[in-house]
């Protein structure tokens, strides 16, 4: 009982939606769907913009490096806080060195290498798991007031 | 003073549309000899690294053709997000609206001209 406060609180999922993204034309509709959910929970414009920009970066990575994948949009609640959780799952080549991939400026795509580190800065919680040859899963959470 | 090109981006662009815009604009600058490009993004709600790169490319290529690029009307939320994302919009000037953007372009081009004149003057008095 006295150790209860140490237990991580798992957020409750209030609502969810799945969307496949396999071509560049899927990006804008996906972003619009994220916006719909963010608006529905009353997320402010700045946080919405940060979340959707992060979502856009992650979905682009999925298209570019893994030929697409699945997205999950969830409305979650933890205590009094509501938020949006986005999960991006692909069956691409995976990332061998995640630490390196998370560095500003690291790219194998002749780009700016901003997507992953920039996304992490834009959201409240960021998690990436990858297995070489199997695929990559990125999960981000943006709290309504976070 | 050369003419300016004004481009208003009215929708969230698909990638191919954005790439087309980049190509078309660069061609227009070269065809018209415009000295300035105004890109109005006041209704654009999301600028990610891809879109940012397109804008940067337009600015860089215009610069090579002696034209300045001004992005006008960037929404505050977009500006805040771009900074946190870490996207450097190098070579791109920004202004609050089209009018201020035009003013900025006129000043830029004028200043360039004056600098040139001054150089000539100094040379001729020596
Ligand atoms: N879903 C993925 N599957 C496989 N590799 C990935 C994936 N996402 C990212 N990577 C790898 O991580 C690197 C860094 O990604 P990040 O998004 O930070 O930069 P980038 O995509 O190279 O450039 P930018 O996002 O600035 O256009 C990529 O170059 C790529 O090697
Ligand atoms: Mg990327």
């Amino acid at each position: 009982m006295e150790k209860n406060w140490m237990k991580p609180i798992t957020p409750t999922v209030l609502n969810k939606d799945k969307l496949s993204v396999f071509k560049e034309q899927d990006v804008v509709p996906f972003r619009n769907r994220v916006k719909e959910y963010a608006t529905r929970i009353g997320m402010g414009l700045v946080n919405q913009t940060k979340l959707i920009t992060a979502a856009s970066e992650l979905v682009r990575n999925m298209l570019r490096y893994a030929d697409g994948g699945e997205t999950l949009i969830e409305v979650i609640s933890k205590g009094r806080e509501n938020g949006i959780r986005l999960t991006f799952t692909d069956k691409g080549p995976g990332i061998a060195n995640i630490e390196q991939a998370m560095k500003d400026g690291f790219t194998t795509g002749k780009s700016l290498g901003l997507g992953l580190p920039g996304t992490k800065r834009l959201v409240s919680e960021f998690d990436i798991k990858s297995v070489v040859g199997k695929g990559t899963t990125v999960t981000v959470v943006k709290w309504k007031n976070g | 003073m050369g003419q300016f090109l004004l481009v208003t981006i009215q929708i969230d662009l698909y990638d191919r549309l954005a790439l087309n815009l980049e190509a078309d604009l660069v061609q227009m600058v070269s065809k018209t000899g415009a000295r300035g490009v105004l890109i109005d993004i006041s209704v654009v709600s999301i600028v990610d690294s891809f879109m940012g790169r397109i804008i940067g490319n337009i600015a860089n290529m215009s610069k090579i053709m002696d034209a300045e690029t001004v992005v006008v009307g960037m929404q505050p939320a977009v500006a805040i997000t771009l900074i946190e994302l870490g996207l450097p919009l190098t070579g791109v000037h920004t202004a609050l609206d089209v009018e201020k953007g035009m003013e900025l372009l006129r000043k830029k081009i004028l200043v360039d001209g004056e600098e040139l004149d001054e150089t000539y003057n100094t040379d001729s008095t020596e």
Side-chain angles (χ1 to χ4, degrees), chain A residues 57 61-62 64-65 90 93-95 101 106-109 111-117 136, chain B residues 49 53:
Chain A
E57 293 296 333
N61 278 355
M62 217 164 65
R64 182 160 185 179
Y65 303 110
D90 69 58
I95 303 171
F106 176 82
T107 179
T108 60
S111 196
L112 296 173
L114 275 180
L116 289 178
T136 304
Chain B
S49 65
R53 214 151 47 228

Side-chain angles (χ1 to χ4, degrees), chain A residues 24-25 28 31 45-46 49-50 52-53 56-57 60 64 111-112 114 118-119 121-122, chain B residues 12-16 45-50 53 77-78 80-81 84-88:
Chain A
E24 67 168 52
Q25 287 92 331
V28 174
R31 284 193 332 207
L45 187 62
V46 172
T49 306
K50 289 181 182 183
I52 300 164
T53 305
S56 191
E57 293 296 333
R60 277 185 194 296
R64 182 160 185 179
S111 196
L112 296 173
L114 275 180
T119 294
R121 286 189 286 269
L122 290 172
Chain B
D12 282 327
L13 294 177
Y14 292 106
D15 295 9
R16 204 152 303 144
S45 55
I46 299 295
V47 177
D48 61 5
S49 65
F50 179 82
R53 214 151 47 228
V78 171
I80 293 167
T81 301
E84 215 162 276
L85 184 65
L87 191 79

Side-chain angles (χ1 to χ4, degrees), chain A residues 131-143:
Chain A
V131 179
V132 174
K134 285 251 159 64
T136 304
T137 299
V138 182
T139 308
V140 299
V141 174
K142 186 82 183 167
W143 296 112

Side-chain angles (χ1 to χ4, degrees), chain B residues 1-2 4 35 68 102-118:
Chain B
M1 196 188 298
F4 301 150
R35 297 293 312 278
E68 298 282 343
M102 298 259 262
E103 222 170 89
L104 182 65
L105 279 178
R106 280 198 202 97
K107 261 187 217 146
K108 287 243 155 256
I109 292 162
L110 220 69
V111 166
D112 280 356
E114 274 167 10
E115 270 172 10
L116 258 173
D117 285 342
E118 264 174 33

Side-chain angles (χ1 to χ4, degrees), chain B residues 2-35:
Chain B
Q3 40 181 156
F4 301 150
L5 292 176
L6 171 63
V7 190
T8 306
I9 301 181
Q10 268 150 339
I11 47 160
D12 282 327
L13 294 177
Y14 292 106
D15 295 9
R16 204 152 303 144
L17 284 179
L19 289 168
N20 287 348
L21 171 72
E22 180 185 335
D24 288 352
L25 244 183
V26 171
Q27 219 175 10
M28 280 293 278
V29 171
S30 113
K31 217 196 304 189
T32 60
R35 297 293 312 278

